[in-house]
Amino acid sequence: LCRGGLAERLCRLQNRERSAISFWRHQCISDDKIPSDKSGVLIVKILEIFEECTIQVAICQQLEQSHATLSPKDAVVNAEEPILKVLFTRDTAAHLKSRPQDVIHIYPPWQKLLLHNTDVPVIMNTYFSQKVLLNEHSEAREKTYGLTKMLIRKTIISLAQTFRLDDPDDGLHQESSDNRVASAEQMRNNGDSKQHPLALSAVNDSLLEIVESQGAVGWREVQVQVVIQRVYCLPAREGYRSHIQGNKPLWSNGGMFCRLCLLVQDAYGMFSEVQLQSLCSTDDIEQYCRRWEGKSCCLAGMKILHRTTRGRALGLFSLIDSLWPPVAPVKVHGQSQESEMMTTNLPPPSFCYVLTVQSGEIHVELDEEEQISNLYQPPAVHALKEILRIGGCNKRCSFWAQVLYQRLQTKHNIPIDQREILLFVTDSTLQNAVHGIPKVVAVTVTASCVLGMEIIEAFSAGSQLVFFKDALWGNGRIICVERTVLLLQKPLLCSAAGADLSELPGPVRLDELDSTTQTNSVCALRGTVVGVNESTAFSWPTCNRCGNGKLELCPQDRELLYCNQCSEVVTTPVLKMQLEVFLHCPSRSQSTVKVKVWHEISIALFVLLTMLLFLQTYEVQSVLGKEVGLLNCYVHSVTSHPNCVALEEIVLL
Amino acid sequence: STLPAVAEELLREIKKTFQQTSHVPDELLLGLKFIFGPSAVPALDLVDQHSVTRVRSPSGRTLYQVLGSSGKLYTCYSSCHFCTCPAFGFSVLQKSESLLCKHILAVYLSEAMGACQELSVSEEQLTNILLAEEEDEG
């Protein structure tokens, strides 16, 4: 054998053990009484025995000290007592000759092993075991048993099952199991001979260890300490109800049910998405963000929903990537606990566990007065001009912007909860930009981005300064998807002076219509009227309170107009007039420019105009040649053959 | 069956402790002895002598070759528990007395402690290693 090698060491240990065993056995025989040293002794009652290879596996019930003195008849199988699997070597088993219902005393040093995904601990190194004969009657029985051989079931082990020493999916670190090989020595120090099989709750700092030791069953007693990096809402797939109030369009997910989620990170840099309450309303998201982001918390009572990987959850991992590398040193598995290393070379995570709360309550214990954690990475705020220059795809970005105009993408074959909103936004960097950079940028808000009612109502009220947190940038577009949060209030710890960027240098200017103008954008134009499409002339009354364009005749008095959104009579309706004009625009002189213009005037003025028109013949010719500009328009379509641009006049918020 | 899970856990624990401390504590060695019986010391001896080689081919196929005490080279499969040594045929296959032979145990222990030697061979060479065993027994 190699000098100083493992084999030599085991040889020595084994020899020592062998002498100890023979000494102990000798002592048991000569002493007649049970050795007096009771501490660390495991007392078990055998329920079932079978054999695997040469090891005897006994399913046992652990007994209290006091039970040992009762006769077998009195020692009723108590369901409360913990079950153990005790292993005996062939030699020990031959010595014990145990049968079901026998009570065995196992003296230290024995070893306990906790396996993955099972509650039943395994006891090994049971060399120092002794059967306890409780009375005269059982001693006689024992002698007769000794003569008859008991048939024990033997399990054949499959060769196909190999041992996995590490997890192949895990690129970050090697397998770390949460079992404890506790020797009797340690337990004697604790002074408690009755062992509870499950680990007692201690605050752990590794998500991976907790997840892999507890499995899908749930974490009943363990807690893990994490930092909350982000708070957001995910649309709830089940139980959603759509509310359509009158004719107001339902903005994507506005007021609908959603799930509050946390993206947390542990001391090892590992991320997990924790889905908290189901079906909450979207209105409190801003509050939760402000109170919880950046704080440390303890998770308990969680269950694993699933484990996801980069390829399957691009949205989640684009958010995780934006938080990588960590801003504070993280621990590395496999290193000694004392040294925390600055992990400059750690690869970004390739997998993430999605957890959920087992019961209906939030099991997040956090101290809201606590300081912001070092590991917290607030969203990096950039100006829109910088964002437009970011290379790459699927990058999360955060910015402040003034929302100028919003448009609901109305496609009738798409259900209401999947509609997209187009927001046109700008900031001072775009407004001040030189040629080549657009003055206004379109942000698509998909249905998966949950918007609070507060934001939606704010958009209707007027131009808003909105913080877009963790929007997605790619392929020249900014989109708000799942995990993007739109906030009106300034979040805590915003890097970069967002306030300065939002101060616009005067009235908003749009890019002028030119050859680069695209569909679904906004622009400004000026030109001369070269034609009028009379067939499109149209006027209709609208409610002066809510703008409802579908007024009805009052049932009681057919001369009055009634608005069913306000549920009131409209006494002074606002008249909207619409007309399509053809313009010649010098900035895009090759195209036919068709603009739908509309105006609102009060009914009184309309009456006056009608009278005037009646008196004077209204000539289309009088409109031709008129200068129009600067109109703000939304571009409906741009076609090259024929070379035509169709726009609609808009009013910015 | 209980024993394989126990053996796996013990080996995992050895790997984890070794990675953290570069040392295998006495309890784990005694645990090996308890579970694997007479194979434990010979297996550790094979590890001490770096007798285990992991052979890999470009397609990703692997197998292990263990240099036995007699100087003979035995082949252990990586996809299931199999070894070409006579002890495996007798104790494991015939009598179901052991979970593993000392060579397979040495493979696991070498993996756990990073003591495997590495060898890259061509597809053809790997095939020949596998077929060579058949020729010997035939």
Side-chain angles (χ1 to χ4, degrees), chain A residues 6-7 9 14 52-54 85 87 111 116 125 154 159 161-164 166 174 177 179 334, chain B residues 1-3 8-9 12-13 15-16 19 24 26-27 33-34 44 48 81 93 96-98 108:
Chain A
L6 291 165
R9 187 147 62 99
Q14 176 190 293
E52 289 183 17
C53 295
T54 53
K85 262 188 195 169
L87 307 183
Q111 284 187 19
H116 279 196
N125 273 44
K154 187 175 163 105
L159 294 175
Q161 186 186 354
T162 51
F163 302 148
R164 271 180 47 239
D166 53 27
Q174 301 300 321
S177 47
N179 64 336
Chain B
S1 56
T2 313
L3 207 57
E8 184 182 52
E9 202 54 66
R12 278 202 187 147
E13 190 65 10
K15 177 169 184 173
K16 176 175 157 203
Q19 279 184 337
V24 182
D26 288 349
E27 310 111 51
K33 176 75 193 156
F34 180 81
L44 286 171
D48 287 336
H81 286 165
L93 289 180
S96 294
E97 267 180 0
S98 314
Y108 278 117

Side-chain angles (χ1 to χ4, degrees), chain A residues 329-340:
Chain A
V330 293
K331 297 189 192 171
V332 177
H333 283 283
Q335 309 278 341
S336 126
Q337 292 304 308
E338 280 76 37
S339 65
E340 288 191 13

